[in-house]
Amino acid sequence: MTTDQVPSEVRPVVRVGAPTERRNPLSADLDLMSTRDMLAVINEADRRAPAAVAEVLDEIAAAVDLAVPALRDGHRVHYFGAGTSGRLGVLDAVELIPTFNTPRHWFCAHLAGGQGAMWQAVEDAEDNHATGTAEANECVAPGDVVVGLAASGRTPYVLGALAASRARQAATVLLCANPEAEAARDVDVFIGVDTGPEVVTGSTRMKAGTAQKLVLNAFSTAVMVRLGRVYSNLMIDVVATNAKLRGRMITILVEATGCSEELCRQALNAADGDLKTALVSLVSGADVTRARAALASSADQVRGALALLAT
C-alpha cells in the first residue's frame, strides 16, 4: 500500500439463517425456464402466503385484542419496519384514513431511513439499532401498541424500537416470516408466518411481503370493525374525498337500509354528509338530531345507537 492510499472502512457483514434466506429447490434454474414456466413457479410459491397466514390467525387475533382497547383509551398503534416490510406498514397506516376516517394519530408508521426510504433504499438504515431505539423513545407512550415488521425477524432497527417500546410500557408485537426468530420471546405477541424460502433467494418483497400485507390488512381491518367503523360488511366511516367516494356513500346507504337512492340522498344531506347519522336515522326512523345524539351516547357505534333508539 502506498502512502497516498487510505484503506476503506471495513463494513460489518451478517449472514442471516432465517428461512427467508434459504434456497428454494422448486425454483432452481429459474433463469433457464421459459417465461411461462417461470411465472408458474412464482405463482405456485405465492399460494403459500395465504395458507401460511391461516396458520397464525390466533396470534393476529391476540394483536387485534391489544390494539382495540388501546385505541379506545386514547393510545396509538405504531408500525416500525425497514425496506419492503416498513413500506407495507406505511401503506397500511395511510390507507386507513380515507377508508375508515381514522384520526391521523391512531396509526403511526416509522420507516428505517425516514420518508425518503419510501422511494429509494437508504444504505444501512435497517442495521441501526440505536435509531430504532431513539425513534421509539421519542414517540411511543405507555399503553401504546408497537408492531415490529421484519421479514427475517432480526432487523436491528426494528428490534431496537421494540426493546425501547417495551421499556416504555407499550405492548409489543413482532410480525415476521421467520417462525424461528429469537426475538419471539421478547414481545407480547409473536406472529411468525411460515412462508419458507423465496423463489429468488432472499427477495422478501415476494411471498414474505405478500404475507405481511395480508396480515396487516386483516389486523387493521379487524381493529376497525371492533371499533364500530364497519356496519355489517359496509365501511360507514368512509371519507368522501372524491366523486367516486361520494357515490359510494349513497350506495352504502342504499345497501344498508333498502331505501331508495333519492331518500338516501335526502338523509345524507339532512345529516350534513355524516354517513353514520344518516344510516341511523333511516334504519330507526328517528330524525337526524336524535340519531346524532344516540351515536354520541353509544361511543359512535351504529348498532349501539340503534339499540338505544329501539328502547
Side-chain angles (χ1 to χ4, degrees):
M1 179 182 299
T2 62
T3 56
D4 61 343
Q5 288 179 313
V6 178
S8 61
E9 179 184 353
V10 178
R11 305 177 76 175
V13 175
V14 175
R15 298 187 65 187
V16 179
T20 54
E21 299 298 317
R22 297 170 190 163
R23 292 190 67 184
N24 188 334
L26 300 179
S27 59
D29 294 330
L30 190 69
D31 59 333
L32 299 179
M33 296 180 187
S34 69
T35 302
R36 181 63 174 74
D37 287 346
M38 184 194 314
L39 294 173
V41 169
I42 293 171
N43 180 252
E44 184 60 33
D46 285 343
R47 294 171 187 265
R48 176 59 193 158
V53 171
E55 296 169 2
V56 294
L57 294 182
D58 287 343
E59 290 82 355
I60 300 171
V64 171
D65 290 341
L66 285 177
V68 170
L71 290 170
R72 280 182 178 151
D73 290 342
H75 303 293
R76 298 187 292 176
V77 174
H78 300 263
Y79 293 146
F80 281 89
T84 296
S85 299
R87 294 183 189 104
L88 290 171
V90 172
L91 185 63
D92 193 69
V94 167
E95 289 183 339
L96 293 177
I97 297 170
T99 305
F100 298 107
N101 194 20
T102 60
R104 291 184 178 275
H105 66 275
W106 270 16
F107 281 73
C108 308
H110 309 270
L111 180 59
Q115 292 185 357
M118 191 71 189
W119 311 106
Q120 184 174 344
V122 177
E123 196 172 16
D124 290 340
E126 70 175 53
D127 294 331
N128 199 323
H129 189 282
T131 299
T133 300
E135 289 186 18
N137 282 332
E138 183 178 339
C139 64
V140 175
D144 286 353
V145 175
V146 176
V147 182
L149 308 170
S152 66
R154 59 153 302 278
T155 305
Y157 168 83
V158 173
L159 297 188
L162 287 171
S165 299
R166 189 167 56 253
R168 296 180 67 81
Q169 299 182 325
T172 54
V173 179
L174 175 59
L175 167 58
C176 70
N178 178 10
E180 306 163 6
E182 292 183 10
R185 63 193 177 196
D186 299 323
V187 294
D188 296 298
V189 177
F190 174 65
I191 307 173
V193 190
D194 188 9
T195 53
E198 297 288 1
V199 167
V200 175
T201 306
S203 181
T204 52
R205 72 184 186 88
M206 301 186 77
K207 60 180 175 175
T210 299
Q212 287 186 311
K213 173 63 172 166
L214 291 173
V215 171
L216 288 172
N217 279 351
F219 166 73
S220 58
T221 300
V223 169
M224 293 300 105
V225 173
R226 284 284 164 259
L227 289 172
R229 291 177 180 259
V230 172
Y231 175 74
S232 183
N233 61 351
L234 300 169
M235 48 182 176
I236 51 173
D237 267 297
V238 63
V239 181
T241 54
N242 57 44
K244 180 188 76 172
L245 292 178
R246 286 189 288 273
R248 182 177 291 170
M249 292 175 79
I250 300 298
T251 300
I252 288 170
L253 282 175
V254 171
E255 290 284 344
T257 67
C259 295
S260 69
E261 182 176 327
E262 180 57 31
L263 190 57
C264 289
R265 287 183 186 277
Q266 292 174 7
L268 192 60
N269 287 335
D272 298 322
D274 187 308
L275 178 58
K276 277 187 174 180
T277 300
L279 173 59
V280 171
S281 176
L282 286 169
V283 173
S284 68
D287 60 30
V288 166
T289 300
R290 290 179 61 214
R292 188 173 285 120
L295 281 166
S297 299
S298 59
D300 211 31
Q301 302 269 336
V302 167
R303 293 197 187 274
L306 292 173
L308 282 176
L309 292 168
T311 57

